[in-house]
């Protein structure tokens, strides 16, 4: 009887161990992360700037999101990120929805709805904890706000340069909102990461078309300018110094487009 009980307990222990291993493996395959930022803003000016006027706004800088990652195997994964913004009446949009493959040797690729790598903080625009600002500077980061995401492909290559790291990124795709259609987006960027500092250079070009009817009519009839297939470029240069007790970052961007589209 004792031998039978011992055998039964041993079998149960093995089954529990196997179950724990399966649960651990499943946890590694599927992960869910969340993030949220809540705040309010008010200005002493009646005329609103950056969406803030002389009445308290609780929605302008508030957002919440969830990111789901499914690791099919060590080289293939699927990522989806859903974000709800207060300024959009908390409507939920898919910011990311892509398939990623690790080719090995520091090379990886994505296809689907991806983030346009226009800025130093492009990957963390919605995650307030990952940025040094309460709110990223509108003068710079609002230039391409409607086109933070795009449908296309992304190739990234990371390599060691001595004790430092260099990352190069290439993207191609398309982005569209209610006013503009950016086709044939071609972007290149390079980041050099040292121990206490990093530097980044990025450049992107696209064929820009005005699709909003009233704006298109004004440009064509009043200015006599074309509204289809205009050349547009975006340049960004940035650097960060972070030895631990001090944090310094700076970034310069330049947005240019043919015709009557306002440069920034």
């Amino acid at each position: 009887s004792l031998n039978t009980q011992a055998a039964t307990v041993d079998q149960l222990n093995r089954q529990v161990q196997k179950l724990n291993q399966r649960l651990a493996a499943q946890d590694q395959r599927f992960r869910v992360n969340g993030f949220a930022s809540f705040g309010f803003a008010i200005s002493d000016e009646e005329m609103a700037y950056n969406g803030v006027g002389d009445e308290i706004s609780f929605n302008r800088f508030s957002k919440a999101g969830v990111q789901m990652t499914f690791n099919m195997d060590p080289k293939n994964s699927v990522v989806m990120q859903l974000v709800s913004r207060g300024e959009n009446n908390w409507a939920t949009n898919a910011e990311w929805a892509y398939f990623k493959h690790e080719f090995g040797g520091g090379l990886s690729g994505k296809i689907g709805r991806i983030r346009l790598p226009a800025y130093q903080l492009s990957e963390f625009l919605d995650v307030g904890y990952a940025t040094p600002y309460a709110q990223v500077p509108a003068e710079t980061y609002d230039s391409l706000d409607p086109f933070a995401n795009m449908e296309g492909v992304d190739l990234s290559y990371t390599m060691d340069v001595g004790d430092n790291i260099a990352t190069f990124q290439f993207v191609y795709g398309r982005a569209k909102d209610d006013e503009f259609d950016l086709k044939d987006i071609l972007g290149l960027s390079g980041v050099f990461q040292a121990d206490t500092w990093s530097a980044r250079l990025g450049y992107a070009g696209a064929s820009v078309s005005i699709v909003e009817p009233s704006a298109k009519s004004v440009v064509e009839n009043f200015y006599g300018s074309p509204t289809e297939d205009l050349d547009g470029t975006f340049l960004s240069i940035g650097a960060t110094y972070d030895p631990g007790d001090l944090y310094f970052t700076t970034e310069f961007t330049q947005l240019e487009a043919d015709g009557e589209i306002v440069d920034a």
Side-chain angles (χ1 to χ4, degrees):
S1 175
L2 290 175
N3 290 337
T4 302
Q5 291 178 2
T8 303
V9 171
D10 188 50
Q11 291 174 356
L12 288 174
N13 286 334
R14 287 199 298 267
Q15 291 176 359
V16 170
Q17 290 176 358
K18 290 181 180 179
L19 180 60
N20 287 334
Q21 291 173 356
R22 292 176 181 175
L23 290 174
Q26 187 65 27
D27 183 56
Q28 292 177 356
R29 294 188 65 188
F30 184 71
R31 295 188 61 188
V32 178
N33 299 314
F35 56 88
S37 299
F38 300 102
F40 68 90
I42 187 171
S43 170
D44 60 359
E45 294 289 341
E46 182 178 356
M47 180 175 292
Y49 169 72
N50 193 21
V52 180
D54 60 355
E55 295 184 0
I56 293 180
S57 169
F58 290 93
N59 290 336
R60 175 66 178 94
F61 301 130
S62 297
K63 66 187 72 172
V66 60
Q67 180 171 313
M68 295 164 285
T69 304
F70 178 66
N71 296 307
M72 304 164 63
D73 55 47
K75 290 188 175 182
N76 300 292
S77 59
V78 176
V79 176
M80 175 170 284
Q81 185 183 97
L82 305 176
V83 178
S84 299
R85 292 182 170 82
E87 60 180 336
N88 294 333
N89 295 317
W90 296 103
T92 301
N93 295 311
E95 299 292 301
W96 298 351
Y98 62 80
F99 169 79
K100 181 179 180 180
H101 177 73
E102 297 283 352
F103 294 98
L107 181 65
S108 64
K110 301 175 185 175
I111 183 170
R113 184 167 177 81
I114 58 179
R115 179 62 48 90
L116 176 63
Y119 303 101
Q120 289 191 108
L121 301 174
S122 286
E123 288 290 321
F124 317 108
L125 284 179
D126 295 315
V127 187
Y129 181 80
T131 69
Y133 310 102
Q135 175 66 19
V136 293
E139 293 79 6
T140 300
Y141 279 75
D142 276 9
S143 296
L144 290 179
D145 183 58
F147 311 106
N149 304 296
M150 55 178 280
E151 282 73 39
V153 296
D154 173 319
L155 284 176
S156 298
Y157 177 68
T158 300
M159 60 181 292
D160 293 330
V161 182
D163 294 332
N164 307 311
I165 298 174
T167 301
F168 303 95
Q169 194 170 7
F170 165 83
V171 297
Y172 175 81
R174 182 177 185 177
K176 184 178 181 181
D177 71 348
D178 295 334
E179 297 184 24
F180 298 99
D181 184 6
L182 275 60
K183 294 177 288 187
D184 296 325
I185 298 174
L186 185 64
L188 296 168
S189 68
V191 180
F192 186 83
Q193 178 73 51
D195 185 33
T196 59
W197 62 273
S198 66
R200 181 186 182 278
L201 175 64
Y203 183 84
S207 176
V208 184
S209 297
I210 302 174
V211 296
E212 204 278 321
S214 60
K216 187 174 183 179
S217 176
V218 169
V219 172
E220 289 179 337
N221 298 329
F222 186 78
Y223 293 101
S225 299
T227 58
E228 300 287 337
D229 299 326
L230 307 173
D231 290 332
T233 61
F234 186 80
L235 171 70
S236 63
I237 303 172
T240 296
Y241 176 65
D242 183 12
D245 297 329
L246 174 72
Y247 185 92
F248 172 82
T249 184
T250 183
E251 191 165 10
F252 168 83
T253 64
Q254 184 178 57
L255 174 65
E256 294 184 334
D258 292 341
E260 301 305 322
I261 300 176
V262 178
D263 297 337

